[in-house]
């Protein structure tokens, strides 16, 4: 297919086991500069580039960049390699010039100006650390830098006495003045002879080791890429394209060229400066038609915008590139898009540029897990090779080899590294081993399976971490995930997952996530450790920086103790085996060995295995059902391992006396810090405060829970009564003040009442901490939503489950609202009034006490308190300082957290809370 005179390079036939798109045809090769000038003649007055500072038409862009090219040619260090102390390793190359200009129209002008000056470009990202920039400068042999005023000082430090810093703003002003005249602007002679395999730009990538590699993008490679992109993305002169990918990123650079050669307008913004909400507003206000970005930015948009937000609905297409995108990502994005907006998975590498695109129309079904990369674009051919070098069959995985005349000429100054990837196909066409694994389906679509060097053997099975990541992203609460393999011989290889919770959702415990994965994956693919993260570390290209992930937690499970020995039935006695099996089931840990024994070691700690307060509730209920022993949650603190907990269970329920309403989370032995007394939320165990106690270091921490929650007793029917009971217990530990008291949710009301009673009696209260506490006037339904969010463990895709839920909700609305709801409320009230008197099974016991607390809080009005208060406010809670003002006369210290209500006390958010409170607690 002819597109503006460009040369589309495609294979003339398909090799066995390879697939290609043959829509392209060979046409005369046209230079990039000639193509841009042709567009300026065809649509001179159409908008070409714009940002918040400057807008240019295609005619203006053509003349201004010509003038910039001439000025750069005159003022840059002469492109003569002698005497510079610079080794230029590529034939036909010029000495590279660095561009240190803020992402915007300025960076586009600098790039196009250097092309017109016949120079090789290296985009320097201002967000990179200086040491990294120096390393790139050294590798590329950069002498001169073109910089804007904001980065002039940084550029001067980088070049030192070696070269020149050209301030770009005065240069552009001069170029615009020249362009505004009728004078002819000469072409730079050096630029006219450049093309084909000559270097155009050097893209520095991190590589698998984190060391930068300079990928040389050639003129031919760039032109072929623009043809493929204009075809698959259907760019026209009417398009208004978002340019948010960094121009030092090969996809960001190519997108600018593709849009301009299509006669479209490029709208430039940097999401790192606008923020997510500002980006959405910009997309809407600029009436953009396409958004080409990364999956990470898409997830950020989804997390920040609600379904009613219509600012993305004018887009005709959203495309992502740079890392894997999944069905759940698209399912979450779809409600924000218009009824005809399509989505593209855009796949390539800096070495090959785009080689596959998969467009999913608005009416197409959403894949459950990974989204295939799609069909091979014009000008490329893909072969999948087995480890022995033979071609893989359809449906079989193999290493991706791209075959094309339009690819990189290699790594800048690294011929040995280039030789490990570059090759020649049977027909003489250059080939490049991409380093990824892929698989073709019967329809000719390729799916990426991760890096070829990432595949690991786990318990004898070959595992692709990317497949585990895809499964993790289908778990209802998981926003992002990264999976690594930990190899520490002689222990067996194990998988560790790092997960980020969706904004506004309750962070699921590692145990709950593992259990969800076991519905989708075989046991050997379920990570043994799940590490909650507030966000995944990313490099300058927006990809997950796996080297920056925190050290994987040690997990001395039986399977790994003393090497690779499998557990032996003789390792456990009967009680220990029973407890280990219960813990394995509750925590989602696999059974191992021919006897399917639990993979929990005798000395593994429940919390270190991923257990939290909800897991503890389930475990204690299961122990009661199977072993006939009812134990309080305080026992789990005192007896945290399989060995000690089994010994405690063997003694029976009454052997060890303990108080049912208070637990010691940290004894603070030897500490001079004042104790912290915590009140659990409605229907919650004191264990919910355990993560914070671990984060606060050497401080005694005690937690109170509702009377009767774990041992049958008549509960307190007023908040003052609850406060007085807690004060009596607190004074056993600390007879007099100053006291520091904290409460979560409903517990905050009790904590505030305790402080009021104490101060009225002449005792000193150092501080009260209200952790996301709702005022009683707020509806119980709102509190119920945030208090009892649950992980959806149902099978099938998130999108499918969502559609089913919506359909059921629509068809049963009358029955639920008019018939079932009143009976449900009667049942809840009856359960609440029976709390403590009757013992309910499992979660029903905790829900009974939650409902009891809701009833109690409705009758309560907080006291007017004049002491020091910290008010922690999570997402979704409108009980801010203004709403609390009638009760907190001195004004609270407000701590805002981007977390769901119950997740404030869970990892990873509790680390942020501990940091915020540490100084205030004193």
């Amino acid at each position: 297919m002819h597109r503006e005179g460009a040369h589309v390079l495609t294979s003339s036939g398909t090799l066995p086991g390879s697939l290609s798109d043959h829509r392209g045809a060979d046409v005369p090769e046209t230079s990039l500069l000639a193509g841009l000038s042709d567009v300026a003649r065809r649509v001179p007055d159409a908008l070409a580039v714009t940002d918040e500072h400057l807008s240019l038409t295609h005619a203006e862009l053509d003349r201004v960049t010509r003038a910039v090219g001439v000025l750069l040619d005159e003022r840059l260090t002469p492109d003569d390699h002698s005497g510079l102390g610079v080794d230029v390793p590529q034939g036909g190359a010029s000495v590279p010039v660095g561009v240190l200009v803020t992402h915007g129209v300025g960076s586009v002008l600098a790039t196009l100006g250097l092309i017109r000056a016949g120079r090789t470009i290296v985009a320097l990202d201002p967000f990179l650390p200086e040491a990294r920039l120096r390393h790139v400068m050294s590798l590329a042999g950069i002498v001169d830098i073109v910089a804007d005023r904001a980065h002039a000082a940084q550029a001067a430090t980088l070049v030192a006495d070696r070269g020149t810093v050209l301030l770009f703003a005065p240069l552009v002003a001069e170029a615009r003045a020249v362009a505004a005249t009728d004078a002819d602007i000469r072409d730079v002679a050096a630029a006219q002879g450049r093309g084909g395999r000559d270097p155009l730009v050097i893209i520095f990538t991190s590589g698998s080791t984190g060391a930068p590699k300079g990928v040389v993008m050639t003129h031919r490679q760039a032109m072929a890429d623009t043809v493929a992109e204009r075809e698959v993305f259907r760019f026209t002169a009417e398009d208004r394209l978002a340019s948010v990918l960094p121009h030092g990123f090969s996809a960001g650079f190519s997108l600018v060229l593709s849009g301009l050669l299509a006669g479209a307008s490029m709208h430039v913004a940097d999401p790192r400066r606008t923020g997510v909400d500002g980006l959405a507003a910009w997309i809407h206000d600029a009436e953009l038609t396409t958004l080409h970005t990364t999956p990470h930015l898409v997830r950020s948009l989804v997390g920040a915008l609600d379904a009613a937000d219509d600012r993305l609905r004018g887009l005709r297409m959203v495309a992502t590139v740079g890392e894997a995108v999944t069905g759940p990502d698209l399912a979450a994005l779809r409600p924000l898009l218009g009824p005809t907006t399509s989505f593209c998975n855009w796949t390539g590498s800096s070495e090959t540029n785009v080689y596959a695109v998969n467009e999913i129309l608005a009416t197409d079904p959403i894949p459950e897990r990974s989204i295939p990369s799609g069909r091979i674009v014009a000008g490329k051919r893909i072969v999948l090779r087995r480890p022995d070098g033979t071609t893989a069959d359809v449906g079989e995985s193999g290493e991706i080899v791209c075959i094309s005349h339009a690819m990189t000429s290699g790594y800048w100054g690294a011929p040995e590294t280039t030789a490990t990837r570059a090759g020649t196909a049977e027909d003489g066409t250059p080939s490049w081993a991409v380093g990824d694994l892929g698989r073709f389906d019967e329809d000719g679509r390729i799916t990426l399976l991760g890096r070829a060097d990432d595949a690991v053997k786990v318990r004898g099975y070959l595992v692709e971490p990317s497949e585990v990541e895809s499964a993790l992203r289908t778990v209802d609460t998981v926003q992002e995930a990264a999976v690594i393999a930990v190899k520490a011989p002689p222990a067996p290889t194990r998988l560790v997952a790092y997960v980020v919770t969706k904004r506004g959702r309750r962070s699921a415990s590692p145990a709950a996530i593992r259990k969800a994965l076991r519905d989708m994956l075989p046991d050997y693919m379920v990570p043994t450790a799940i590490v909650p993260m507030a966000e995944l570390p990313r490099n300058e290209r927006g990809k997950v920086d796996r080297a920056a992930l925190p050290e994987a937690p040690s997990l001395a499970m039986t399977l790994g103790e003393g090497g690779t020995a499998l557990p032996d039935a003789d390792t456990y006695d009967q009680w220990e085996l029973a407890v280990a099996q219960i813990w394995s089931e509750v925590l989602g840990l696999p059974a191992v060995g021919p006897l399917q024994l639990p993979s929990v070691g005798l000395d593994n700690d429940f919390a270190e295995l991923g257990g939290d307060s909800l897991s503890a509730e389930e475990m204690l209920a299961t122990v009661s059902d199977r072993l006939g022993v009812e134990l309080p949650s305080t026992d789990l603190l005192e007896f945290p391992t399989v060995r000690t907990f089994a010994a405690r269970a063997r003694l029976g329920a009454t052997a060890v006396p303990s108080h049912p309403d208070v637990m010691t989370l940290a004894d603070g032995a030897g500490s001079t810090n004042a104790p912290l007394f915590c009140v659990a939320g409605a229907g919650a165990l004191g264990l919910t405060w355990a993560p914070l106690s671990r984060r606060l270091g050497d401080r005694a921490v005690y937690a109170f829970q509702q009377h009767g929650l774990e041992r049958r007793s008549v509960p307190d029917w007023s908040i003052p009564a609850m406060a007085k009971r807690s004060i009596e217990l607190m004074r056993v530990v600390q007879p007099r003040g100053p006291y520091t008291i904290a409460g979560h949710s409903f517990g905050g009301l009790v904590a505030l009442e305790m402080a009021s009673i104490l101060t009225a009696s002449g005792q000193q209260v150092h501080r009260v901490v209200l952790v996301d506490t709702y005022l009683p006037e707020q509806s119980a339904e709102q509190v119920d939503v945030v208090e009892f969010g649950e992980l959806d463990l149902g099978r099938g895709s998130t999108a499918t489950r969502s559609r089913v839920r919506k359909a059921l909700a629509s068809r049963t609305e009358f029955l639920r609202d008019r018939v079932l709801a009143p009976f449900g409320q009667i049942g809840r009230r009856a359960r609440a009034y029976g709390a403590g008197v009757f013992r309910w099974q499992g979660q029903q016991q905790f829900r009974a006490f939650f409902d009891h607390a809701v009833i109690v809080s409705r009758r309560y009005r907080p006291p007017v308190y004049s002491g020091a208060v910290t008010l922690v406010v999570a997402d979704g809670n409108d009980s801010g300082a203004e709403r609390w003002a009638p009760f907190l006369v001195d004004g609270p210290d407000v701590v805002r957290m981007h977390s769901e209500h119950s997740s404030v006390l869970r990892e990873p958010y509790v680390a942020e809370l501990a940091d915020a409170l540490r100084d205030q607690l004193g």
Side-chain angles (χ1 to χ4, degrees):
M1 180 177 292
H2 292 260
R3 285 296 180 98
E4 300 172 7
H7 185 197
V8 184
L9 296 144
T10 61
S11 60
S12 58
T14 301
L15 295 174
S18 68
L19 293 171
S20 177
D21 189 327
H22 304 295
R23 291 172 292 179
D26 288 353
V27 294
E29 185 170 336
T30 298
S31 75
L32 172 61
L33 299 180
L36 291 171
S37 296
D38 181 60
V39 172
R41 286 190 292 272
R42 289 190 292 105
V43 286
D45 299 324
L47 180 65
V49 289
T50 181
D51 62 14
E52 71 270 30
H53 302 299
L54 180 63
S55 298
L56 296 172
T57 66
H58 280 281
E60 291 170 336
L61 179 67
D62 183 66
R63 285 187 61 80
V64 170
T65 55
R66 282 174 180 269
V68 169
V70 172
L71 294 172
L72 288 172
D73 181 55
E74 293 172 351
R75 298 173 189 179
L76 288 171
T77 301
D79 195 12
D80 178 0
H81 307 163
S82 62
L84 293 176
V86 175
D87 178 27
V88 178
Q90 308 276 142
S94 62
V95 176
V97 177
V99 177
L100 194 59
V101 178
T102 300
H103 185 81
V105 170
S107 58
V108 174
L109 293 178
T111 298
L112 296 181
L114 284 167
I115 295 173
R116 290 200 177 273
R119 297 304 186 98
T120 302
I121 307 158
V122 178
L124 302 173
D125 191 336
F127 283 89
L128 284 179
E130 184 175 316
R132 174 83 170 190
L133 288 174
R134 286 186 181 279
H135 193 36
V136 169
M137 292 267 297
S138 174
L139 290 175
I142 293 172
V143 175
D144 297 334
I145 294 180
V146 176
D148 56 16
R149 284 196 175 93
H151 302 98
Q154 184 181 15
T157 301
L158 290 171
V159 300
D161 298 328
R162 192 180 188 199
T164 304
V165 175
L166 282 181
L167 284 178
F168 196 56
L171 190 141
V172 170
E174 187 176 348
R176 292 183 69 190
V178 171
T181 69
D182 294 331
D184 289 336
I185 302 174
R186 68 177 175 86
D187 291 323
V188 176
Q192 301 311 302
R194 294 176 64 77
R197 298 272 289 176
D198 291 336
L200 173 64
V201 61
I202 305 173
I203 305 290
F204 277 89
T205 66
S206 295
S208 59
T209 64
K213 292 187 298 184
V215 180
V216 178
M217 182 187 294
T218 68
H219 281 256
R220 178 180 294 164
Q221 179 183 356
M223 282 302 298
D225 202 49
T226 65
V227 172
E229 288 184 0
R230 281 177 282 159
E231 181 175 321
V232 295
F233 298 135
R234 303 184 300 281
F235 290 154
T236 69
E238 287 70 42
D239 269 315
R240 301 167 65 84
L241 279 60
S243 175
V244 296
L245 294 168
H247 297 152
F249 184 14
S250 62
F253 177 81
S254 296
L255 183 68
V256 170
L257 298 182
S258 298
L260 292 176
L261 287 170
S265 58
M266 302 304 302
H267 299 251
V268 192
D270 191 338
R272 294 174 293 188
R273 299 181 186 276
T274 65
V276 175
D277 189 71
L279 181 70
W282 171 72
I283 290 171
H284 176 267
D285 296 344
E287 298 180 340
L288 303 187
T289 59
T290 73
L291 173 63
H292 289 66
T293 184
T294 62
H296 175 60
L297 186 56
V298 164
R299 293 173 194 133
S300 298
L301 284 165
V302 167
L305 309 181
D306 59 48
D309 199 309
D310 64 355
R311 290 179 290 181
L312 304 185
R313 291 183 182 150
L315 294 167
R316 70 169 179 84
M317 177 183 291
V318 174
T320 64
V321 69
E323 60 182 343
V325 64
T326 63
D329 290 329
L330 179 53
L333 177 65
R334 273 265 175 94
L336 299 175
L337 303 179
T340 61
T341 309
S342 66
F343 176 84
C344 287
N345 187 12
W346 174 25
T347 302
S349 69
S350 299
E351 294 87 347
T352 64
N353 284 51
V354 60
Y355 60 78
V357 172
N358 183 16
E359 183 173 12
I360 301 175
L361 302 178
T363 54
D364 290 341
I366 297 175
E368 289 194 2
R369 294 194 195 173
S370 297
I371 294 179
S373 297
R375 302 184 187 282
I376 310 308
V377 302
K380 299 292 195 310
R381 190 165 78 239
I382 295 294
V383 173
L384 302 182
R385 287 183 182 160
R386 301 187 183 104
D388 63 2
T390 59
T391 302
D393 294 327
V394 170
E396 182 183 2
S397 66
E399 183 176 4
I400 297 171
V401 178
C402 186
I403 301 171
S404 173
H405 287 286
M407 296 190 299
T408 181
S409 59
Y411 297 118
W412 183 263
E416 298 84 2
T417 307
T418 299
T420 65
R421 297 288 184 185
T424 305
E426 294 177 1
D427 60 359
T429 306
S431 66
W432 190 271
V434 176
D436 290 325
L437 294 176
R439 179 176 57 231
F440 278 116
D441 62 21
E442 296 290 346
D443 295 327
R445 298 182 307 174
I446 190 171
T447 296
L448 260 63
L449 304 175
R451 297 293 297 172
D453 51 6
D454 282 348
V456 293
K457 283 285 187 75
V458 178
R459 287 156 54 183
Y461 298 92
L462 190 65
V463 176
E464 296 292 343
S466 61
E467 188 174 352
V468 183
E469 291 173 355
S470 294
L472 275 164
R473 293 191 190 104
T474 68
V475 176
D476 194 44
T477 61
V478 174
Q479 174 84 7
E480 294 186 297
V483 176
I484 63 171
V486 176
K487 302 176 182 178
T493 298
R494 62 190 180 95
L495 299 177
V496 175
Y498 299 83
V499 298
V500 177
T501 300
K502 291 177 181 175
R503 186 171 179 180
R505 298 298 301 276
R506 181 178 193 154
S507 55
S509 69
I513 293 174
R514 275 198 297 260
K515 291 173 75 173
L517 287 178
R518 292 183 73 183
D519 283 342
M520 297 179 274
L521 300 173
D523 280 350
Y524 61 85
M525 293 182 70
V526 176
T528 57
I530 309 284
V531 182
M533 301 277 288
E535 60 182 2
L536 296 177
R538 294 184 177 274
N539 60 26
E540 68 276 10
R541 315 184 72 74
K543 295 185 178 182
V544 175
D545 187 351
R546 296 175 189 273
L549 289 166
E551 185 177 352
S554 61
L555 191 61
M557 298 170 63
T558 302
L559 187 61
E561 292 175 350
T564 58
L566 291 170
D568 191 323
D570 294 335
T571 303
Y572 313 91
D573 66 23
Q574 289 185 340
W575 280 92
E576 290 166 346
L577 181 60
V579 168
Q581 287 173 332
I582 291 171
W583 284 24
S584 292
E585 292 173 17
V586 169
L587 298 175
L589 294 168
V592 296
L595 299 179
Q596 289 295 283
L597 293 171
S599 56
V600 178
L602 285 172
D603 296 311
N604 286 151
D605 184 286
F606 187 82
E608 291 177 0
L609 290 169
D612 63 354
S613 60
L614 292 180
S615 313
E617 292 170 9
E618 182 183 353
M619 186 272 290
L620 292 170
T622 306
V623 166
S624 176
D625 290 343
R626 293 191 192 174
L627 306 182
V629 179
E630 290 195 12
L631 300 175
S633 56
T634 50
D635 282 354
L636 192 54
L637 291 172
E638 190 171 352
F639 310 103
T641 66
V642 169
R643 189 189 308 275
T644 58
F645 190 84
R648 169 68 186 92
R650 188 188 294 113
L651 293 175
T654 61
V656 180
S658 61
H659 200 286
D661 300 340
V662 62
M663 58 184 66
T664 304
L665 299 177
D667 60 16
S671 173
T672 58
N673 292 322
L676 175 64
F677 297 94
C678 306
V679 185
L685 293 172
L687 280 174
T688 56
W689 289 93
L692 181 66
S693 72
R694 290 193 290 268
R695 288 282 183 177
L696 290 179
D698 60 341
R699 179 188 299 273
V701 181
Y702 303 90
F704 304 106
Q705 59 195 33
Q706 286 163 273
H707 184 61
L709 181 63
E710 291 198 280
R711 290 189 187 170
R712 187 171 293 165
S713 299
V714 177
D716 298 310
W717 277 94
S718 73
I719 288 178
M722 295 178 181
K724 290 175 183 177
R725 184 185 297 276
S726 297
I727 288 172
E728 290 175 3
L729 294 171
M730 183 172 65
R731 282 184 156 172
V732 173
V733 176
Q734 184 180 341
R736 59 186 59 84
Y739 295 102
T740 304
I741 310 169
H744 175 237
S745 193
F746 170 80
L749 299 177
V750 179
L752 189 62
E753 183 69 26
M754 290 171 66
S756 180
I757 293 172
L758 287 165
T759 54
S761 66
Q763 290 292 327
Q764 182 182 355
V765 175
H766 170 67
R767 181 171 291 272
V768 180
V769 181
L770 306 181
V771 181
D772 209 38
T773 295
Y774 287 77
L775 284 162
E777 64 203 48
Q778 293 176 278
S779 68
E781 288 77 15
Q782 181 184 8
V783 180
D784 197 16
V785 168
V786 297
E787 193 82 22
F788 279 100
E790 293 182 350
L791 177 65
D792 185 352
L793 298 178
R795 299 190 181 192
S797 73
T798 303
T800 302
R801 295 196 300 270
S802 177
R803 289 194 293 271
V804 171
R805 282 196 295 267
K806 289 179 180 177
L808 286 174
S810 175
R811 296 179 184 181
T812 62
E813 182 177 7
F814 177 84
L815 176 65
R816 289 183 292 108
D817 291 349
R818 301 295 179 86
V819 180
L820 297 181
F823 283 103
Q825 290 301 318
I826 293 172
R828 288 189 66 171
R829 290 181 67 85
R831 186 173 62 196
Y833 283 104
V837 178
F838 301 102
R839 183 75 180 174
W840 307 95
Q841 290 296 314
Q843 282 289 314
Q844 297 302 313
Q845 171 74 358
F846 300 98
R847 286 184 178 272
F849 273 85
F850 173 81
D851 294 333
H852 161 264
V854 170
I855 293 173
V856 168
S857 67
R858 285 174 179 164
R859 306 168 182 168
Y860 178 69
R861 180 172 176 78
V864 176
Y865 184 73
S866 60
V869 175
T870 298
L871 185 64
V872 180
V873 182
D875 290 341
N877 186 352
D878 61 358
S879 294
E882 291 184 4
R883 198 159 181 175
W884 275 96
F887 309 103
L888 308 178
V889 295
D890 289 347
D893 297 311
V894 179
V895 175
R896 294 199 171 272
M897 294 186 61
H898 292 301
S899 163
E900 178 269 343
H901 174 76
S902 60
S903 301
V904 173
L905 292 177
R906 301 160 71 94
E907 297 288 356
Y909 308 105
V910 71
E912 179 185 349
L913 177 62
D915 289 341
L917 295 183
R918 196 168 281 112
D919 291 338
Q920 295 183 9
L921 294 180

